Amino acid sequence: MSDNITVAGVSVDTRHWIGGRRVASAGTFTDHSPLDGSALGEIARGGPDEAAAAVAAAREAFPAWAATPRAERARILHAVADGVEKRIEELAIVETTDNGALLRSHRRGVMPRVAHNFRFFADWLLRLDHEDFETRGHTNHVSWDPAGPCVLITPWNAPLMLATWKVAPALAAGNTVVLKPAEWSPLTASLLADIAAEAGLPAGVLNVVQGYGSEIGDALTSHPDVRRISFTGSVPTARRIAASAAANLTPLSLELGGKSPLLVFADADLDLAVDLAVEQYDNAGQVCLAATRLLVEEPVAEEFTRRFTEKASALRQGDPRDEGTDIGPTIHPRQLDKIDGFVQRALAAGARAVIGGHRKDGQYYAPTLLTDVAQDSEIVQEEVFGPVLTLQTFAGEDEAVRLANDTRFGLAATVATGDRERAERVTARLVAGTVWVNCFFVRDLRAPFGGSRQSGVGREGGTWSFDFYCDLKNTVTAPEGWDQDHG
């Protein structure tokens, strides 16, 4: 078997990256493209041995990287960003081929954001500081000490962007990293290893291992030398990771699922509200933040539904490499089956499909809007992670807030209203890590990001990322007692 595959003209190494070199495994798994179901290649399938080797490499590299001056760490991270920018086109086409998201989005937004992740945390590192303060004449000095080897487990819906959202602050903080990408979309993580090495990142500081969670993931999350674990993905997998990490009391950062609401009040700009609702089909609905529950005030519900149906029906679904495509394929046949299972059970229970409600050729699912759904129904309560929205109506603010908060999740919420005071009242009562008012998916890395309830534990972004990836230390110094003759 060749160690390299060619994807859309780009050569990708299929082996792990451990301790600054490529490492093969005895076994492999097949990576398929959602574009047509074709096999892209055989990927090294790691297990406990590869996990142990990657953690050992990270542990060995940690002291020198932790001791590297902040300015030098920042310089190398900027060099990684430079490398990403030089290869945006390659990264974009490989990721589109591997996970099915729109090529135009990868080119114009996602891959530039990957580079920004490195630049932002490199720059934030240089300004990371806490003003000293006095306690009865004693000086308190707060510092962020690197924690050690970190295991980062990342999802398939935005593979490289979400991976670097974790990798960049972990490395900036002075930690070493073992990155395990999702087995459904592993290829750009391998390219990242090449880019980081070319940028001068020392061997062992970033390691990339591939495989299944049950085989290599458990070995990583239970390893006693791992000092931090960050995971983005599903609630069931998070529970498994938490149980695995519990024996060592390894700190966790978990960004999990969502069932976010979009609240449309009668005083909202309806055209804007419809645009926001249709935007929830982005990435074929495979977005944790997506406001999949449309809650619309009764007086405008009929008109909203008419305008939404008209706009959503005009979306073009097809090859994500085509500039005119709005919605690409579902990433994997198993995910397609899962989405359709949710929809068919909802229809059998009495829901009505205003649009969609069925599969299309290949790995495509028709953009779907379901009405006549009960609040306690599976389709309203559980994350589908596909192009499936529900629509419910409400009579006033209290009912809107009650419906919005009535799930086990709390990742995000969106509010459409023309009344500033109403916006302030409603957002104050919503249980969510992020609330957007008359907008959606405006993200700034200076802001905290994460979920409430079963949507996650902890926050990422700005200083919050460093708080997680570091051991915070407070040094208290007495004003007297120095040996004046010393030195």
Side-chain angles (χ1 to χ4, degrees):
M1 184 194 76
S2 172
D3 293 329
N4 287 74
I5 59 175
T6 300
V7 179
V10 181
S11 179
V12 183
D13 201 304
T14 60
R15 296 170 292 177
H16 312 286
W17 177 255
I18 299 175
R21 64 186 184 90
R22 290 292 177 177
V23 176
S25 289
T28 63
F29 65 92
T30 306
D31 183 28
H32 293 271
S33 173
L35 303 187
D36 55 11
S38 63
L40 296 175
E42 296 299 310
I43 312 300
R45 180 174 172 174
D49 290 344
E50 289 83 357
V55 174
R59 184 183 62 221
E60 182 178 352
F62 172 68
W65 181 245
T68 300
R70 286 187 177 189
E72 177 62 9
R73 293 206 301 266
R75 184 194 67 77
I76 293 174
L77 294 186
H78 273 289
V80 175
D82 293 340
V84 169
E85 290 175 344
K86 290 176 183 176
R87 300 184 68 177
I88 279 179
E89 183 63 26
E90 293 181 9
L91 293 167
I93 190 59
V94 169
E95 188 141 299
T96 289
T97 306
D98 203 18
N99 91 324
L102 299 184
L103 179 58
R104 70 169 189 255
S105 296
H106 280 140
R107 283 173 171 158
R108 300 170 191 171
V110 176
M111 295 310 162
R113 173 62 182 271
V114 168
H116 176 65
N117 285 343
F118 284 103
R119 296 200 191 283
F120 173 87
F121 286 106
D123 293 341
W124 199 267
L125 169 67
L126 299 181
R127 70 178 72 169
L128 187 66
D129 191 24
H130 190 294
E131 184 177 350
D132 289 351
F133 54 96
E134 299 293 322
T135 304
R136 298 190 301 277
H138 296 64
T139 301
N140 292 261
H141 176 74
V142 177
S143 58
W144 285 261
D145 292 353
C150 300
V151 165
L152 312 179
I153 302 174
T154 54
W156 46 258
N157 59 322
L160 193 58
M161 194 275 284
L162 292 178
T164 56
W165 194 341
K166 300 175 186 296
V167 169
L171 296 181
N175 299 314
T176 51
V177 164
V178 179
L179 170 64
K180 195 205 90 65
E183 59 269 22
W184 287 353
S185 56
L187 300 183
T188 49
S190 180
L191 294 177
L192 177 64
D194 295 334
I195 292 170
E198 292 166 5
L201 193 70
V205 174
L206 172 64
N207 305 276
V208 179
V209 292
Q210 299 138 167
Y212 297 115
S214 60
E215 296 174 353
I216 192 168
D218 289 349
L220 290 170
T221 56
S222 64
H223 200 293
D225 290 333
V226 171
R227 295 293 175 259
R228 295 289 188 275
I229 299 169
S230 182
F231 168 73
T232 296
S234 71
V235 172
T237 302
R239 290 195 180 105
R240 181 170 180 167
I241 290 172
S244 180
N248 301 309
L249 295 179
T250 308
L252 297 170
S253 175
L254 304 172
E255 196 268 279
L256 308 178
K259 196 69 180 177
S260 301
L262 165 55
L263 289 71
V264 179
F265 288 91
D267 57 18
D269 178 334
L270 270 196
D271 286 334
L272 171 63
V274 167
D275 286 344
L276 294 174
V278 173
E279 192 176 349
Q280 308 312 311
Y281 290 131
D282 183 49
N283 201 20
Q286 299 168 131
V287 179
C288 59
L289 293 165
T292 56
R293 295 185 295 131
L294 309 182
L295 307 177
V296 185
E297 196 163 11
E298 290 171 356
V300 297
E302 184 175 348
E303 179 64 13
F304 173 90
T305 304
R306 185 190 68 78
R307 295 192 199 184
F308 174 90
T309 301
E310 181 178 328
K311 191 173 186 68
S313 297
L315 293 172
R316 285 188 56 188
Q317 189 165 25
D319 190 330
R321 296 167 294 186
D322 187 333
E323 281 283 317
T325 296
D326 299 305
I327 302 177
T330 300
I331 189 169
H332 194 278
R334 277 169 44 195
Q335 186 64 18
L336 187 67
D337 289 343
K338 177 183 175 184
I339 294 166
D340 193 46
F342 274 112
V343 172
Q344 298 312 316
R345 289 191 296 274
L347 293 174
R352 180 173 68 91
V354 177
I355 58 171
H358 56 85
R359 299 169 184 256
K360 301 177 77 173
D361 291 339
Q363 287 179 208
Y364 293 85
Y365 204 86
T368 297
L369 176 66
L370 301 178
T371 60
D372 301 334
V373 292
Q375 178 63 22
D376 61 355
S377 64
E378 178 192 55
I379 197 67
V380 170
Q381 293 294 323
E382 298 298 326
E383 184 177 45
V384 177
F385 221 63
V388 178
L389 310 181
T390 60
L391 189 149
Q392 300 165 271
T393 61
F394 63 85
E397 283 184 24
D398 288 344
E399 186 179 14
V401 171
R402 178 182 64 79
L403 292 173
N405 288 339
D406 187 22
T407 74
R408 60 194 173 101
F409 298 104
L411 186 56
T414 303
V415 177
T417 178
D419 185 332
R420 183 182 295 274
E421 292 183 355
R422 165 174 280 157
E424 292 173 353
R425 289 194 305 269
V426 171
T427 57
R429 297 171 63 189
L430 293 175
V431 179
T434 300
V435 181
W436 287 287
V437 179
N438 295 330
C439 61
F440 177 67
F441 212 18
V442 178
R443 282 282 296 121
D444 191 314
L445 285 176
R446 293 172 294 182
F449 177 78
S452 304
R453 296 177 175 168
Q454 291 193 24
S455 285
V457 175
R459 294 292 184 268
E460 297 177 279
T463 302
W464 292 275
S465 287
F466 286 95
D467 287 348
F468 173 71
Y469 286 114
C470 291
D471 290 323
L472 269 71
K473 178 190 294 178
N474 185 43
T475 301
V476 184
T477 303
E480 300 174 351
W482 300 108
D483 182 356
Q484 300 299 320
D485 295 330
H486 181 71

